[in-house]
Amino acid sequence: MFATYLIGLREGLEATLVVSILVAFLVKSQRRDRLPQVWAGVGLAVALSVGFGSLIQYTSTSLLRTSESRELFEAVTSVAAVVFVTWMIFWMRRAARTIAGELRGKLTDALAVGSLAVAGMAFLAVIREGLETALIFYAAAESAAGGTGPGSLLALAGGIATAVVIGFLLYRSAVRINLSRFFTWTGALLILVAAGILKYGVHDFQEAGVLPGLNDLAFDISTTLDPASWYGALLAGMFNVTAAPTVLELVAWVAYAVPVLVLFLRKPAKPAKPAQPAQAAKPAGTAAPAADTSDAPADVAAVPSPRA
């Protein structure tokens, strides 16, 4: 359940931040008349995302007749979800510092075009997060015990609701959080979730007969890690860590989690600063140059307050 809650929180906060930036920019620009178009675009994106999730579920449960085809479908969606998760966390780490400025620039261009452009921009800004959420949620919920049942849906809804509350408080400048640190920690957890989804996908490929080794266990520690215990269920539900994985499942989990975590947690190299010529001594009382803040962590200051 925590894995689906984390997905809802992470994806929901990204979408909420985007909407907050758009709304705050319109309010500060005295363009409240364009807010209905923004909300129309957001509403359409949410509706299509829910429809996409329902289509995935319907395809899996109703359109696919054989167990092999269902296993293959779930395997493909699992791999696709892992690709989306990996791209999403690295993109957000890179874009966290500049996303507010880029959105304001695009919205300024959309305002010059007209109402449909404003609605279209809001739609495109949210639909990506919505489609990702639907796909990743389906894969994560299927990889955990219970599937996409009421509990998983409630966990996802809880994560999204938490993200909406946090986004509203950020918009009202009631709280301050370090977004760079937040996305780093949640990104690391999502990498482990994605590793579990990939492991589940490999298992589905084995059950569908696409990959061999369904009965070749890497180890069996069922006597130590009881699947029926609370900690066994927690590890299986969050990261798909099981007591008796196959060799290919274990290889896939380690081969993905270790290098991706290392790359994600590694601090990006700072760009080399050009050499500056020596300057003549300044007379007493001359102010020192301002400190370079280009490496300051991204935080909620990127979301302007409508009361500023």
Side-chain angles (χ1 to χ4, degrees), residues 76-97:
V76 172
T77 54
S78 296
V79 173
V82 171
V83 172
F84 275 117
V85 168
T86 308
W87 175 82
M88 178 254 303
I89 58 178
F90 280 97
W91 175 85
M92 195 61 191
R93 187 183 69 167
R94 183 180 66 253
R97 297 178 184 274

Side-chain angles (χ1 to χ4, degrees), residues 16-65:
T16 301
L17 286 174
V18 169
V19 175
S20 298
I21 292 170
L22 297 180
V23 171
F25 179 76
L26 289 176
V27 171
K28 294 190 66 169
S29 303
Q30 304 298 321
R31 298 302 303 271
R32 292 176 180 267
D33 58 307
R34 297 301 188 187
L35 288 177
Q37 286 79 40
V38 170
W39 292 121
V42 171
L44 180 59
V46 171
L48 287 180
S49 299
V50 172
F52 178 66
S54 301
L55 178 62
I56 295 177
Q57 182 68 16
Y58 178 74
T59 300
S60 175
T61 57
S62 301
L63 296 184
L64 302 178
R65 300 297 182 183

Side-chain angles (χ1 to χ4, degrees), residues 165-177:
V165 171
I166 294 175
F168 177 76
L169 293 176
L170 294 179
Y171 174 77
R172 303 299 300 179
S173 298
V175 297
R176 292 183 64 85
I177 61 174

